[in-house]
């Protein structure tokens, strides 16, 4: 055997190794495609599990997302974010309330100040 000879060349083992490499290549490509498919179906599965009202919209955006990936991101946001709760939270922040409790707004502060002034006047008269 010389130093320049290649192992497994012109033998049955050479063919078997080529077949095995082809199987690994096809399996890897198939696994990548399956993984891509499962990740893209994630918004639809989440919408089904939450019984989302916009299931049709999420499904359409997911399918369009195969071509334009930014559309898929919109489908993920719609599927995973509870829209009603988010709108209620934004409304509460806008109105100045925190988690259903009323904060000290200006009329309430004026009422508290007026009560303190009245209490001070009563203490002076007594």
């Amino acid at each position: 055997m010389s130093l320049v000879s290649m192992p497994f060349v012109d033998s049955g083992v050479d063919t078997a190794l080529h077949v095995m490499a082809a199987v690994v290549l096809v399996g890897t490509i198939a696994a990548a495609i399956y993984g891509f498919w499962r990740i893209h179906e994630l918004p639809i599965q989440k919408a089904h599990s939450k019984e989302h009202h916009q299931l049709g919209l999420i499904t359409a955006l997911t399918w369009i997302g195969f071509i334009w990936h930014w559309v898929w991101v919109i489908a993920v946001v719609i599927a995973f974010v509870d829209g009603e709760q988010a709108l209620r939270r934004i409304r509460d922040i806008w109105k100045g309330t925190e988690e259903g409790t009323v904060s000290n707004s200006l009329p309430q502060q004026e009422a508290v100040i007026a009560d303190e002034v009245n209490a001070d006047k009563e203490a002076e008269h007594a």
Side-chain angles (χ1 to χ4, degrees):
M1 179 180 209
S2 84
L3 293 174
V4 233
S5 68
M6 298 283 239
F8 308 120
V9 174
D10 293 330
S11 67
V13 177
D14 182 38
T15 305
L17 289 174
H18 279 91
V19 169
M20 194 164 103
V23 168
V24 168
L25 178 66
V26 169
T28 303
I29 292 172
I33 290 172
Y34 179 73
F36 184 73
W37 175 265
R38 294 292 293 178
I39 289 173
H40 261 268
E41 289 291 313
L42 194 63
I44 296 173
Q45 292 172 359
K46 182 67 172 182
H48 275 291
S49 70
K50 286 179 25 177
E51 297 179 2
H52 205 284
H53 298 292
Q54 298 294 333
L55 183 62
L57 173 67
I58 293 168
T59 304
L61 290 175
T62 301
W63 280 98
I64 294 169
F66 278 112
I67 298 169
W68 295 309
H69 299 295
W70 62 271
V71 176
W72 180 80
V73 173
I74 295 171
V76 169
V77 169
I78 292 172
F80 281 86
V81 172
D82 185 4
E84 293 175 15
Q85 183 180 5
L87 286 175
R88 270 188 252 118
R89 179 76 176 126
I90 291 170
R91 181 198 63 208
D92 291 344
I93 291 171
W94 183 264
K95 288 183 176 180
T97 59
E98 186 65 29
E99 295 183 16
T101 62
V102 178
S103 68
N104 290 334
S105 60
L106 188 58
Q108 289 175 344
Q109 290 174 352
E110 289 174 356
V112 169
I113 293 171
D115 289 340
E116 290 173 358
V117 168
N118 289 336
D120 289 341
K121 286 181 181 178
E122 289 177 7
E124 289 176 3
H125 291 295

